[in-house]
Amino acid sequence: MNSFGQFFRVSIFGESHGLGVGVVVDGIPAGMPLDYDDFSSDLDRRRSGAKGTTPRKEADLPKLTNGLFNNFTTGAPLVIQFENTNTRSKDYDKLREMPRPGHADFVASKKFGGFEDFRGGGHFSARLTLGIVAAGVIAKKLIQPLTIKAELVEAGGSTNINAAIDKAVEENDSIGGIIECRVSNMTVGLGEPFFNSIESVMAHMMFSIPAVKGIEFGSGFSAARMKGSEHNDNILSFDGKTETNHAGGINGGISNGNDLVFRIAIKPTSSISKEQKTLNIKTGEIDSLKVEGRHDVCVALRAPVIVEAAAAIVLADFMLQEQRIPRVWNEIKD
Amino acid sequence: MNSFGQFFRVSIFGESHGLGVGVVVDGIPAGMPLDYDDFSSDLDRRRSGAKGTTPRKEADLPKLTNGLFNNFTTGAPLVIQFENTNTRSKDYDKLREMPRPGHADFVASKKFGGFEDFRGGGHFSARLTLGIVAAGVIAKKLIQPLTIKAELVEAGGSTNINAAIDKAVEENDSIGGIIECRVSNMTVGLGEPFFNSIESVMAHMMFSIPAVKGIEFGSGFSAARMKGSEHNDNILSFDGKTETNHAGGINGGISNGNDLVFRIAIKPTSSISKEQKTLNIKTGEIDSLKVEGRHDVCVALRAPVIVEAAAAIVLADFMLQEQRIPRVWNEIKD
Amino acid sequence: MNSFGQFFRVSIFGESHGLGVGVVVDGIPAGMPLDYDDFSSDLDRRRSGAKGTTPRKEADLPKLTNGLFNNFTTGAPLVIQFENTNTRSKDYDKLREMPRPGHADFVASKKFGGFEDFRGGGHFSARLTLGIVAAGVIAKKLIQPLTIKAELVEAGGSTNINAAIDKAVEENDSIGGIIECRVSNMTVGLGEPFFNSIESVMAHMMFSIPAVKGIEFGSGFSAARMKGSEHNDNILSFDGKTETNHAGGINGGISNGNDLVFRIAIKPTSSISKEQKTLNIKTGEIDSLKVEGRHDVCVALRAPVIVEAAAAIVLADFMLQEQRIPRVWNEIKD
Amino acid sequence: MNSFGQFFRVSIFGESHGLGVGVVVDGIPAGMPLDYDDFSSDLDRRRSGAKGTTPRKEADLPKLTNGLFNNFTTGAPLVIQFENTNTRSKDYDKLREMPRPGHADFVASKKFGGFEDFRGGGHFSARLTLGIVAAGVIAKKLIQPLTIKAELVEAGGSTNINAAIDKAVEENDSIGGIIECRVSNMTVGLGEPFFNSIESVMAHMMFSIPAVKGIEFGSGFSAARMKGSEHNDNILSFDGKTETNHAGGINGGISNGNDLVFRIAIKPTSSISKEQKTLNIKTGEIDSLKVEGRHDVCVALRAPVIVEAAAAIVLADFMLQEQRIPRVWNEIKD
């Protein structure tokens, strides 16, 4: 199923080299002002162009086809669509015989019986994250005054990100990265113990972003190496503010009012133009493969805005559930 | 909501110092043989007793009250209950004024208006994981021939786990740990791209276990420091077996037939008998607190079987969804 | 799945002749006062005893095992259990060979491969509605000031209900009935167009009650025979009150502030002691069957309180969704 | 929420006088052949044109924008969109002040704070059922060999449907009707007792169709007037075939292999050009209203194909759940 959320529900659809991609966002309170300008900043951040990103250029102009009336949300499902304009599908034909190492080619073919749209990864493409970013724009408005900031803090194992990119481009290789995300002005009481913990739902969403292979909240894996006396955050005030924030703003699955902090591990892009070995499905032999097509050297470069959007979607859902967002955004229109 | 799963649905209930805890498991195929002996081995592994675990002793005898008939599952909801027999609630009275650093006391009181059962953590207690372990016993039978093995690979930052425990006990402190989980005999094709990826659902479930603060699949955070040419797993055969397994058995959110491998970071227990500082709710002053009561020095010691159970529950749900488990377990009874 | 509801979730379990039946209610706001006395009136109304009801007598004492603390709800799942004390399972042994006409015996055996608990209908028994009535008690408190009143308006085709019962008892037969349910003090704005309409969710729930075979809202089937000019309800005031109430209080799937009114058709009990014909599974012949055991002559007699409970559960779910019920019931406890 | 189904999930979106309407269908097995021709017959049946239907003419050409590749489903979400081409929004402006009796105008404005798209009913319009009919085309293919046939058996209280329509047109009034739906070649074992009964889920779906106010299965409301000895259907053979079919093919919520039969009550269209009384929101007075715009005299005329589609969607969901439809439709493509 390609849907996420209970109260604020995001459903994505589309293919990399089909007509386009899009998203249906259901559960938006009526009366929230929204127009095209709201989307440009975040969509720009996701777009390729910088060194280390794919040469495929797409305008990524959102088309709001439903759920908006006189520049206000109506309470009906909002639909946002993006055309694909710059497709070069023939690049992918030969990959039918040679599933790319590290890519979904092999499992997709097994799971969908060979009927999957394989062009450019089809429905598996990171192009689908356009819908997540667009839904995130709406979610960010809803969760105000909470604010979210994600940034790439490491690429290819180095904090000198530009140099790491340059080196990878030179080597015809790809690199991964680590993104840190921080939510400020948090409210106390979002989330539940066990299955509906903030960590559970946030991690669920983050692993929906292609190439994510790890997540840690607060001190995370370092916490596993700390003592309780070091890790415990002393509570200092009635609003829950703590001396340190090893917990990343969450106790018992519930937000404690401090900044929500987590880090995401992004693996290196699997499509590289360096020569690799893989099974040739036709011949049964192990063959050499150089992946053609246009790819990001470091997808992590474009991922921070996706992480922000994903976090906003999760928080909007929690806040609606906790009745922190009204069912009608503005006062009654006259 | 205290439920997890679409087809194999686990609902936990209970409190640490109330009458007991339990679980309802819905969606079990009819006709699976099941009796009390099936539960003893996993429940034993979860039970305290070893050095570094809580002195609270509970027999943890499961009572199967519904959904079983002549030692076969019936297709109706299976209910498993555990009595609480060894409770010392007065230990917890004073914590009402002094929320423990690192614990859910503060957020629980804020979220539930002071009406939460605070005795021993109440509904937030790790005692609720009894229901997860019990449901996991059933799930492990269902997913055969898949097998799951989790183990504690590091405690307090050290692979010499016994020594680390000894030191923490001596220091009146607590320590965290890292658990590695491996699923063997995996099948190709479980999971979906995006919101229903194996990583998404598995991470969702793992963060439902108290004290978990991080998860990584395959090379995880190390992958973020690798090149694509290092990280990509070369495909060697038609069944999807790869030369390396940096992906942890998952591509594009879907199992690729290799072992499913992930690691979990467990933070140190927040309840320690060492002196700490926290807000006194009554006085508004920052006071000293030494947590009484009976606690684990290293909860990670008892967690591997919980991780296994949680993984089994996720896999049972995916396998039912993919029609890899029949709706009636055995042949028609005559 | 044996669960209903998104935000107020009711999960029933149990068997007619096993240890007992029960319900887990998740999503109850913390801080609602609740004790045993709250349940007695509605459980009494459901209990047998009157002429035309089964001679099986059960005390039906609820046991609240979890989710309650100092007589207030805690926000954790509330569990209510009922023991079975008066079971006579041998009555049912021979029905294995002779599936009762009109009963679930045949389909249960097909669907669950013969592993179902067949004693007294097992998990199919109307005894499971005890959990619905108990959950309804909680829901009725939550939805105040809305009030619900259901009554049997017709039995065996006659409004002289006592006479109809007498006749059926005399004839060793069973009869059905029609129940009308009315919700007063309704609020405007519950429900949505299409899949989440009040009619949709209410009907879903009502058909979960055994023996229900029809439902109509407002004028219902009569509306199909009216003209628009007759059926339309003229709006008279700003609070939505209408001159007539042919719509049963619902327009476009949404409550309009007038009384919510619907009628339920209950079929005659299938278990009758009169001789019937059915397939003998052992011999393959059509044989005669007289159903022994203890049965209601008219289940509709005991159904009004079940209908009320079911309606309350639906409305509690809608009201939580619409933020008409607070997440914490009372003021912060000191 | 505008979504329905667990495994075959239909999400509708759109507005009557906006750009268009559409549907996302998720959970379709990969490999099902599908092209534009598949849709024409059912869309034609829904289209207006006959006497008694709205003069608004729409081509209703489906545009399959996603989820299809080389005329086979891919396993990714299928998106079907319809343009609105013939809109006359100014007809609706004055209704802002005068909520139409029997219509959703009043409740929509209250619920969505006046931000709803009110043109032609906006998101409440029966035009949204285009998506249901389109999804139904897919569902009907999936559930083969089950076949569904719905027909209008009564309009305006008369079985002489043409005459009833003529009379209503003449009187500037509207009429309702009764639709009977029959599913043949049913399989035994779909559905569950209680909340997931066939009646529950089918009724849920049917009440999602605008103007539906009642449903009955088998003998339905007549059953409430029968004796058990009359109503019980004698079982005649091992495949569950019964002598009569008063149960409408369902016992204990589960299909019994006989035809599934139900009837739907459709109320008269609320928009009529006859003069009515309603509240004038601006003046607070009760005023006269004659609804302009283009409307169906008898929406029931166009509803049978919608009922069929809705039934097919429900059955596809049940059949996927029961593993009666494979996850990949055809053999592996070479």
Side-chain angles (χ1 to χ4, degrees):
Chain A
M1 289 298 147
N2 293 275
S3 298
F4 183 88
Q6 298 293 101
F7 292 74
F8 182 79
R9 189 176 295 167
V10 171
S11 303
I12 57 175
F13 58 82
E15 292 83 15
S16 178
H17 288 226
L19 292 179
V21 300
V23 64
V24 181
V25 189
D26 205 355
I28 308 174
M32 192 179 78
L34 189 72
D35 65 28
Y36 282 89
D37 291 345
D38 289 313
F39 293 90
S40 51
S41 160
D42 276 3
L43 290 172
D44 281 355
R45 288 173 64 202
R46 189 195 162 284
R47 198 170 294 122
S48 63
K51 186 165 194 183
T53 62
T54 175
R56 174 176 175 183
K57 292 284 186 306
E58 288 281 4
D60 293 344
L61 296 176
K63 196 173 165 200
L64 285 84
T65 55
N66 300 89
L68 207 63
F69 183 48
N70 295 334
N71 292 327
F72 286 93
T73 57
T74 62
L78 192 89
V79 183
I80 309 172
Q81 306 193 48
F82 299 88
E83 254 187 282
N84 294 333
T85 58
N86 187 349
T87 56
R88 289 210 323 233
S89 305
K90 64 184 177 319
D91 287 349
Y92 297 91
D93 280 345
K94 77 138 98 151
L95 298 176
R96 294 302 284 165
E97 297 171 22
M98 304 273 288
R100 285 168 289 178
H103 206 279
D105 296 342
F106 175 80
V107 293
S109 177
K110 283 276 191 182
K111 185 178 182 87
F112 297 113
F115 291 100
E116 73 282 0
D117 180 349
F118 56 81
R119 300 167 301 164
H123 181 63
F124 285 72
S125 166
R127 187 155 173 75
L128 273 280
T129 61
L130 264 175
I132 294 176
V133 171
V137 166
I138 297 161
K140 285 177 178 180
K141 290 189 93 165
L142 283 175
I143 65 173
Q144 287 167 316
L146 279 67
T147 57
I148 306 179
K149 176 91 192 106
E151 54 185 337
L152 183 63
V153 293
E154 197 187 305
S158 156
T159 55
N160 185 345
I161 290 162
N162 289 334
I165 300 287
D166 287 345
K167 185 153 168 286
V169 169
E170 205 174 285
E171 293 177 350
N172 277 334
D173 215 328
S174 65
I175 54 174
I178 291 177
I179 289 168
E180 184 167 291
C181 183
R182 175 177 298 268
V183 186
S184 302
N185 301 322
M186 274 297 292
T187 177
V188 184
L190 304 183
E192 298 181 24
F194 304 106
F195 307 124
N196 208 19
S197 73
I198 290 203
E199 292 108 324
S200 282
V201 183
M202 192 63 86
H204 189 137
M205 184 49 146
M206 291 299 151
F207 281 112
S208 306
I209 302 173
V212 171
K213 296 300 276 189
I215 189 169
E216 56 179 8
F217 293 86
S219 299
F221 278 88
S222 303
R225 287 142 192 159
M226 292 164 81
K227 299 174 189 176
S229 58
E230 297 165 330
H231 183 268
N232 284 348
D233 301 311
N234 293 335
I235 302 171
L236 299 183
S237 67
F238 285 101
D239 62 0
K241 288 297 177 299
T242 53
E243 199 173 347
T244 49
N245 189 10
H246 296 299
I250 309 167
N251 297 123
I254 296 174
S255 65
N256 65 18
N258 294 277
D259 282 4
L260 182 64
V261 184
F262 59 89
R263 266 169 309 285
I264 299 280
I266 309 244
K267 70 172 180 120
T269 324
S270 53
S271 296
I272 52 176
S273 37
K274 220 166 177 169
E275 199 166 287
Q276 302 175 87
K277 289 201 178 318
T278 192
L279 181 75
N280 185 317
I281 299 285
K282 275 269 172 65
T283 66
E285 306 283 311
I286 305 299
D287 269 1
S288 280
L289 172 74
K290 275 176 70 170
V291 180
E292 321 252 333
R294 300 162 298 175
H295 304 287
D296 289 275
V297 163
C298 178
V299 283
L301 283 172
R302 297 166 65 194
V305 70
I306 305 170
V307 168
E308 287 179 10
I313 290 166
V314 168
L315 291 166
D317 204 38
F318 273 121
M319 288 180 75
L320 278 163
Q321 185 173 353
E322 289 297 314
Q323 308 185 353
R324 311 285 176 96
I325 297 173
R327 298 286 293 171
V328 175
W329 191 246
N330 280 342
E331 295 307 298
I332 302 272
K333 255 176 95 176
D334 63 312
Chain B
M1 291 295 147
N2 293 274
S3 298
F4 183 89
Q6 297 294 99
F7 292 75
F8 183 79
R9 188 177 295 167
V10 170
S11 303
I12 57 175
F13 58 82
E15 291 83 16
S16 179
H17 288 225
L19 293 179
V21 300
V23 65
V24 180
V25 189
D26 205 354
I28 309 173
M32 192 180 78
L34 188 72
D35 65 29
Y36 282 88
D37 291 346
D38 289 314
F39 293 89
S40 51
S41 159
D42 276 3
L43 290 173
D44 281 354
R45 289 173 63 200
R46 188 194 163 283
R47 198 171 292 124
S48 64
K51 188 167 192 181
T53 62
T54 175
R56 174 176 175 183
K57 293 284 186 308
E58 288 281 4
D60 293 344
L61 296 176
K63 196 172 162 200
L64 284 85
T65 55
N66 299 91
L68 206 64
F69 184 48
N70 295 334
N71 292 326
F72 286 93
T73 57
T74 62
L78 192 88
V79 183
I80 309 173
Q81 306 193 49
F82 298 89
E83 253 186 281
N84 293 335
T85 59
N86 186 351
T87 56
R88 286 205 330 228
S89 305
K90 65 183 174 320
D91 287 350
Y92 296 92
D93 280 345
K94 79 138 99 156
L95 299 176
R96 294 302 283 164
E97 297 170 24
M98 305 271 288
R100 286 168 289 179
H103 206 278
D105 296 343
F106 175 81
V107 293
S109 177
K110 284 276 191 181
K111 186 181 181 87
F112 297 112
F115 291 100
E116 73 281 2
D117 180 349
F118 55 81
R119 299 167 302 165
H123 181 63
F124 285 73
S125 166
R127 188 156 172 73
L128 272 282
T129 60
L130 264 175
I132 294 176
V133 171
V137 166
I138 296 162
K140 285 177 178 179
K141 290 189 92 164
L142 282 175
I143 64 172
Q144 287 167 317
L146 278 68
T147 57
I148 306 179
K149 177 90 193 107
E151 55 186 337
L152 184 62
V153 293
E154 197 186 305
S158 156
T159 55
N160 185 344
I161 290 163
N162 288 334
I165 300 286
D166 287 346
K167 183 152 169 289
V169 169
E170 206 174 283
E171 294 177 347
N172 278 334
D173 216 326
S174 66
I175 53 175
I178 292 176
I179 289 169
E180 183 168 292
C181 183
R182 176 178 296 268
V183 186
S184 303
N185 301 322
M186 275 296 292
T187 176
V188 184
L190 303 183
E192 296 181 26
F194 305 105
F195 307 123
N196 208 19
S197 73
I198 290 202
E199 291 109 325
S200 281
V201 183
M202 192 63 85
H204 189 137
M205 184 49 147
M206 291 300 150
F207 281 112
S208 307
I209 303 173
V212 171
K213 295 300 279 188
I215 188 168
E216 56 179 8
F217 292 85
S219 299
F221 278 88
S222 304
R225 288 142 191 158
M226 293 164 79
K227 300 175 187 175
S229 58
E230 295 165 331
H231 183 268
N232 283 346
D233 302 311
N234 293 335
I235 302 171
L236 299 182
S237 67
F238 285 102
D239 61 1
K241 289 296 176 302
T242 52
E243 198 171 349
T244 48
N245 188 12
H246 296 298
I250 309 167
N251 298 122
I254 297 173
S255 66
N256 65 18
N258 294 277
D259 282 4
L260 182 65
V261 183
F262 58 90
R263 264 169 311 284
I264 300 281
I266 310 245
K267 71 173 178 117
T269 325
S270 53
S271 296
I272 53 175
S273 38
K274 220 167 178 168
E275 202 166 284
Q276 301 176 85
K277 290 201 178 318
T278 192
L279 181 74
N280 184 317
I281 299 285
K282 276 268 172 65
T283 66
E285 306 283 309
I286 305 299
D287 270 1
S288 279
L289 173 73
K290 275 176 71 170
V291 180
E292 320 253 331
R294 299 163 298 175
H295 303 288
D296 288 274
V297 163
C298 177
V299 283
L301 283 172
R302 297 166 66 193
V305 70
I306 304 170
V307 169
E308 287 180 10
I313 289 166
V314 168
L315 292 167
D317 203 38
F318 274 121
M319 288 180 74
L320 277 162
Q321 185 173 352
E322 288 297 313
Q323 309 187 352
R324 311 285 175 96
I325 296 173
R327 298 286 292 172
V328 175
W329 191 246
N330 281 339
E331 294 308 298
I332 303 272
K333 252 177 96 177
D334 65 310
Chain C
M1 290 298 148
N2 292 274
S3 299
F4 183 88
Q6 298 294 99
F7 318 111
F8 183 79
R9 188 178 297 167
V10 170
S11 303
I12 56 175
F13 57 83
E15 291 83 15
S16 178
H17 288 226
L19 293 178
V21 300
V23 65
V24 181
V25 188
D26 205 355
I28 308 173
M32 191 180 78
L34 189 71
D35 65 28
Y36 282 88
D37 291 346
D38 289 314
F39 294 89
S40 50
S41 160
D42 275 3
L43 290 173
D44 280 355
R45 289 172 63 201
R46 187 194 163 283
R47 198 171 294 125
S48 64
K51 186 164 193 183
T53 63
T54 174
R56 175 176 174 183
K57 291 286 185 307
E58 289 280 4
D60 293 343
L61 296 174
K63 198 174 163 198
L64 284 85
T65 56
N66 300 90
L68 206 63
F69 184 48
N70 295 334
N71 292 326
F72 286 93
T73 57
T74 63
L78 192 89
V79 183
I80 309 173
Q81 306 193 48
F82 298 88
E83 254 185 282
N84 293 334
T85 58
N86 186 350
T87 56
R88 287 208 327 231
S89 306
K90 64 184 176 319
D91 287 349
Y92 296 92
D93 280 345
K94 79 138 95 152
L95 298 176
R96 295 301 283 164
E97 298 170 23
M98 304 273 288
R100 286 168 289 179
H103 206 278
D105 296 342
F106 175 80
V107 292
S109 177
K110 283 276 189 181
K111 185 179 181 86
F112 298 113
F115 291 100
E116 74 281 1
D117 181 349
F118 54 82
R119 300 167 302 165
H123 181 64
F124 285 73
S125 166
R127 188 156 172 72
L128 274 280
T129 60
L130 264 176
I132 293 175
V133 171
V137 166
I138 297 162
K140 284 177 179 180
K141 289 189 93 165
L142 283 174
I143 64 172
Q144 288 167 315
L146 279 66
T147 57
I148 306 179
K149 178 89 191 106
E151 55 185 338
L152 184 62
V153 292
E154 194 186 307
S158 156
T159 55
N160 185 347
I161 291 163
N162 289 335
I165 300 288
D166 288 345
K167 182 152 169 288
V169 170
E170 206 175 285
E171 294 177 347
N172 277 334
D173 216 325
S174 65
I175 53 175
I178 292 177
I179 289 168
E180 183 167 292
C181 183
R182 175 178 298 267
V183 186
S184 303
N185 301 321
M186 274 298 292
T187 177
V188 183
L190 304 183
E192 297 181 25
F194 305 106
F195 307 124
N196 207 21
S197 73
I198 290 203
E199 291 108 325
S200 281
V201 182
M202 193 63 85
H204 188 137
M205 185 48 147
M206 291 299 150
F207 281 113
S208 306
I209 302 173
V212 171
K213 296 300 278 188
I215 189 169
E216 57 179 6
F217 293 85
S219 299
F221 278 88
S222 304
R225 288 144 191 156
M226 293 164 81
K227 299 176 188 175
S229 58
E230 297 165 328
H231 183 268
N232 284 347
D233 302 311
N234 293 336
I235 302 172
L236 299 182
S237 67
F238 286 103
D239 61 2
K241 290 297 177 300
T242 53
E243 198 172 348
T244 49
N245 188 11
H246 296 297
I250 310 167
N251 296 121
I254 297 174
S255 65
N256 65 16
N258 294 278
D259 282 5
L260 182 64
V261 184
F262 59 89
R263 266 169 310 284
I264 300 281
I266 310 244
K267 71 174 178 118
T269 324
S270 53
S271 296
I272 52 175
S273 37
K274 218 166 178 167
E275 201 167 284
Q276 301 175 88
K277 289 202 179 317
T278 191
L279 181 74
N280 184 318
I281 300 284
K282 274 269 172 65
T283 65
E285 307 283 310
I286 305 299
D287 269 0
S288 279
L289 173 74
K290 275 176 69 170
V291 180
E292 321 251 332
R294 300 163 298 175
H295 304 287
D296 288 274
V297 163
C298 177
V299 284
L301 282 172
R302 298 165 66 193
V305 70
I306 305 171
V307 168
E308 287 180 11
I313 290 166
V314 168
L315 291 167
D317 205 38
F318 273 121
M319 288 181 74
L320 278 162
Q321 185 175 353
E322 288 298 312
Q323 310 187 352
R324 311 285 176 96
I325 296 174
R327 298 286 293 170
V328 175
W329 191 245
N330 279 340
E331 294 308 297
I332 302 270
K333 250 176 97 178
D334 63 313
Chain D
M1 290 296 147
N2 293 274
S3 299
F4 183 89
Q6 298 294 99
F7 318 112
F8 183 80
R9 189 177 296 168
V10 170
S11 303
I12 56 175
F13 58 82
E15 291 83 16
S16 178
H17 289 226
L19 293 179
V21 300
V23 65
V24 181
V25 189
D26 205 355
I28 308 173
M32 192 179 79
L34 189 72
D35 65 29
Y36 282 88
D37 291 345
D38 289 314
F39 294 89
S40 51
S41 160
D42 276 3
L43 290 173
D44 280 354
R45 289 173 63 200
R46 187 193 164 285
R47 197 169 295 125
S48 64
K51 185 163 195 184
T53 63
T54 175
R56 174 176 175 184
K57 291 284 185 308
E58 288 281 3
D60 293 343
L61 296 175
K63 195 172 164 201
L64 285 84
T65 55
N66 299 90
L68 206 63
F69 183 49
N70 295 334
N71 292 327
F72 286 94
T73 57
T74 63
L78 192 89
V79 183
I80 309 173
Q81 305 192 49
F82 299 87
E83 253 186 283
N84 293 334
T85 58
N86 187 349
T87 57
R88 287 209 324 233
S89 305
K90 64 183 175 321
D91 287 349
Y92 296 92
D93 280 345
K94 77 139 101 153
L95 298 176
R96 295 302 283 164
E97 297 170 23
M98 304 273 287
R100 286 168 287 180
H103 206 277
D105 296 342
F106 175 81
V107 292
S109 178
K110 283 276 190 181
K111 185 180 181 88
F112 298 113
F115 292 100
E116 73 282 0
D117 181 348
F118 55 82
R119 301 168 298 167
H123 180 63
F124 286 73
S125 166
R127 186 154 173 75
L128 273 282
T129 60
L130 263 176
I132 293 175
V133 171
V137 166
I138 297 162
K140 285 178 178 179
K141 290 189 92 164
L142 282 175
I143 64 172
Q144 287 166 316
L146 279 67
T147 57
I148 306 180
K149 178 90 193 106
E151 54 185 338
L152 184 62
V153 292
E154 196 186 306
S158 155
T159 55
N160 186 346
I161 291 163
N162 288 334
I165 299 287
D166 288 345
K167 182 152 170 289
V169 169
E170 205 173 287
E171 294 177 349
N172 278 334
D173 216 326
S174 65
I175 52 173
I178 292 176
I179 289 168
E180 183 167 292
C181 184
R182 176 178 297 268
V183 187
S184 303
N185 300 322
M186 275 297 292
T187 176
V188 183
L190 303 183
E192 297 181 26
F194 304 106
F195 307 124
N196 208 19
S197 73
I198 290 202
E199 291 109 325
S200 281
V201 183
M202 192 63 86
H204 188 137
M205 184 49 146
M206 290 301 150
F207 281 112
S208 306
I209 303 173
V212 172
K213 295 300 277 188
I215 188 169
E216 57 179 5
F217 293 86
S219 301
F221 278 88
S222 303
R225 288 142 192 160
M226 291 164 81
K227 300 175 187 174
S229 58
E230 295 165 331
H231 183 268
N232 284 346
D233 302 310
N234 294 335
I235 302 171
L236 299 182
S237 67
F238 285 102
D239 62 1
K241 289 296 177 300
T242 53
E243 198 171 347
T244 49
N245 188 12
H246 296 298
I250 309 168
N251 297 121
I254 297 173
S255 65
N256 66 17
N258 293 279
D259 282 4
L260 182 64
V261 183
F262 59 90
R263 264 169 311 285
I264 299 281
I266 310 245
K267 70 172 178 119
T269 324
S270 52
S271 296
I272 52 175
S273 37
K274 219 166 178 167
E275 201 166 283
Q276 302 176 85
K277 290 203 178 317
T278 192
L279 182 74
N280 185 317
I281 299 285
K282 275 267 172 67
T283 65
E285 307 283 309
I286 305 298
D287 270 1
S288 280
L289 172 74
K290 275 177 71 171
V291 181
E292 322 253 331
R294 300 163 296 175
H295 303 288
D296 289 274
V297 163
C298 178
V299 284
L301 282 172
R302 296 166 65 194
V305 70
I306 305 170
V307 168
E308 288 179 10
I313 289 166
V314 168
L315 291 167
D317 204 39
F318 273 121
M319 288 181 75
L320 278 162
Q321 184 174 354
E322 289 296 314
Q323 309 186 352
R324 311 284 176 96
I325 296 174
R327 297 287 292 172
V328 175
W329 191 246
N330 280 341
E331 294 309 298
I332 302 272
K333 253 177 93 177
D334 63 311

